[in-house]
């Protein structure tokens, strides 16, 4: 039986589908594989990690017989893929199976923040209706421009949902695509044209703080930001400042720059909707992700073609 190392925080759904197939060791609470009680790092041939978990070159180097890193999630920016590739270690992920749920989460955040869902819910629960004197009219997205940063699988799924709700979609990406949406060359240009700006690109060093103070100022005091991609894509300090100063109208956030830590300033803002990184968080999707992750492991050790290697491993 192959020995497998679980990166910190792997969900029960993933553990359940691996049980009986591998001898598993859990790295939760430990900084290095060598710190895990009862584990000889040289016996580990497989690792299961998740997108936001950090699995760097030093972790790979600590496992001399590692053969495969199977990522439980589509985003794999926490893995140093080039270091793995240099060692001949395969890396896989779980695309497609979580596209729709993540897109639905982005739509949920967009509607919740523009329609003041959390504020109105609290109003009813605290007995403030119908005596609450404040004007609580919300904002519609019907006929408004929703700009999407990153028109990949998830970005396109978000676009379809926003269109169904009456929004007009525009986008920016690394290159123009054959789609019926207006293309803008960069996030600043897109933000200027948008009432709602939705982050849907991949995380990693190349997109760190892509949405900065300049982009937020271009979005303007009547614009809303939604991020269900990666927290590192948005300059969080700039976002908090823009919200506090009224330079944007509000934000719907499922992800944060230093998870699970959320800036305290966001907790009390009525124009912000917060979620604890649950973009694909349904029972059904988690099960499909776990099964695909297991399929990659099973195929690798059986010497068969891998269902979903990361793009850097293809060809």
């Amino acid at each position: 039986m192959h020995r497998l190392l679980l990166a910190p925080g792997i969900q029960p759904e993933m553990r359940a589908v691996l049980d009986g197939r591998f001898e598993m060791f859990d790295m939760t609470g430990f900084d290095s594989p060598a710190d895990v009680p009862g584990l000889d790092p040289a016996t580990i041939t497989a690792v299961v990690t998740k997108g936001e978990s950090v699995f760097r070159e030093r972790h790979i180097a600590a496992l001399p017989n590692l053969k495969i890193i199977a990522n439980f999630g589509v985003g794999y920016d926490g893995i140093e893929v080039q270091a793995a590739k240099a060692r001949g270690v395969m890396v896989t992920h779980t695309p497609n199976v979580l596209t729709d749920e993540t897109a639905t989460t982005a739509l949920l955040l967009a509607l919740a923040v523009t329609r003041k869902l959390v504020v109105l819910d609290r109003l009813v629960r605290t007995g403030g209706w119908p005596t609450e004197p404040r004007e609580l009219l919300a904002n519609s997205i019907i006929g408004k421009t929703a700009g999407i940063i990153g028109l990949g699988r998830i970005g396109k799924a978000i676009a379809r949902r926003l269109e169904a709700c009456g929004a007009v979609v525009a986008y920016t990406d690394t290159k123009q695509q054959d789609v019926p949406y207006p293309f803008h060359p960069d996030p600043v240009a897109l933000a200027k044209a948008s009432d709602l700006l939705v982050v849907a690109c991949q995380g990693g060093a190349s997109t760190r703080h892509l949405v900065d103070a300049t982009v937020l100022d271009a979005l303007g005091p009547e614009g809303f930001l939604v991020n269900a991609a990666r927290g590192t894509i948005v300059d969080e300090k700039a976002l908090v400042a823009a919200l506090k100063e009224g330079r944007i109208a509000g934000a719907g956030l499922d992800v944060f720059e230093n998870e699970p830590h959320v800036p305290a300033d966001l907790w009390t803002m009525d124009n912000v909707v917060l979620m604890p990184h649950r973009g694909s968080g349904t029972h059904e999707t988690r099960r499909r992700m776990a099964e695909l992750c297991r399929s990659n492991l099973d195929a690798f050790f059986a010497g068969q073609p891998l269902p979903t290697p990361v793009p850097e491993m293809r060809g």
Side-chain angles (χ1 to χ4, degrees), residues 116 119-137 270:
K116 298 186 178 180
V119 173
L120 296 174
D121 177 85
R122 185 172 64 245
L123 178 69
V124 174
R125 291 176 185 274
T126 57
W129 181 58
T131 58
E132 172 60 52
R134 291 182 300 161
E135 176 59 74
L136 286 174
L137 291 179
D270 282 347

Side-chain angles (χ1 to χ4, degrees), residues 8 31 47 65 96 122 160 243 274-275 281 283 300 304-305:
D31 184 57
V47 165
N65 292 305
N96 302 315
R122 185 172 64 245
R160 292 192 295 271
L243 288 163
L274 307 173
M275 290 179 62
H283 294 295
F300 179 84
Q304 298 172 351

